[in-house]
Amino acid sequence: MTKELSNQEIVQWTTERLRRRGMNPKNWQLMAVLLDREVYLFRNAHRREQVTVYQRHRGQLDMGNLWGE
């Protein structure tokens, strides 16, 4: 069974992960939702960085590597 999380739940999870990595989550915005809500792209416009969050089965989330434009 697959548990889909809402966009808000994914933003909250990402905010906490960014905070743990020592980044300011206020600078990050959800930019795109791709592949039937399985991939979420967040962007920090101030530093021109992006990070991808993947939603796996049963609502498990994984954060990809941080990369620049």
Side-chain angles (χ1 to χ4, degrees):
M1 181 175 174
T2 301
K3 177 187 175 194
E4 279 196 22
L5 300 174
S6 70
N7 287 356
Q8 183 60 36
E9 289 173 308
I10 291 170
V11 168
Q12 288 173 344
W13 182 88
T14 303
T15 296
E16 180 58 32
R17 293 287 187 225
L18 291 169
R19 191 173 287 126
R20 286 183 190 178
R21 290 185 177 190
M23 299 177 196
N24 183 355
K26 292 180 182 180
N27 293 335
W28 293 82
Q29 295 180 355
L30 177 60
M31 190 170 98
V33 179
L34 309 166
L35 299 175
D36 195 28
R37 296 178 40 99
E38 291 181 9
V39 178
Y40 294 79
L41 183 62
F42 289 83
R43 181 169 186 255
N44 180 339
H46 300 289
R47 296 188 62 184
R48 299 181 64 165
E49 296 173 332
Q50 298 178 359
V51 69
T52 307
V53 173
Y54 303 94
Q55 181 174 204
R56 309 286 185 205
H57 295 289
R58 298 182 185 185
Q60 178 186 354
L61 297 172
D62 297 312
M63 183 176 281
N65 293 328
L66 177 70
W67 50 284
E69 295 181 343

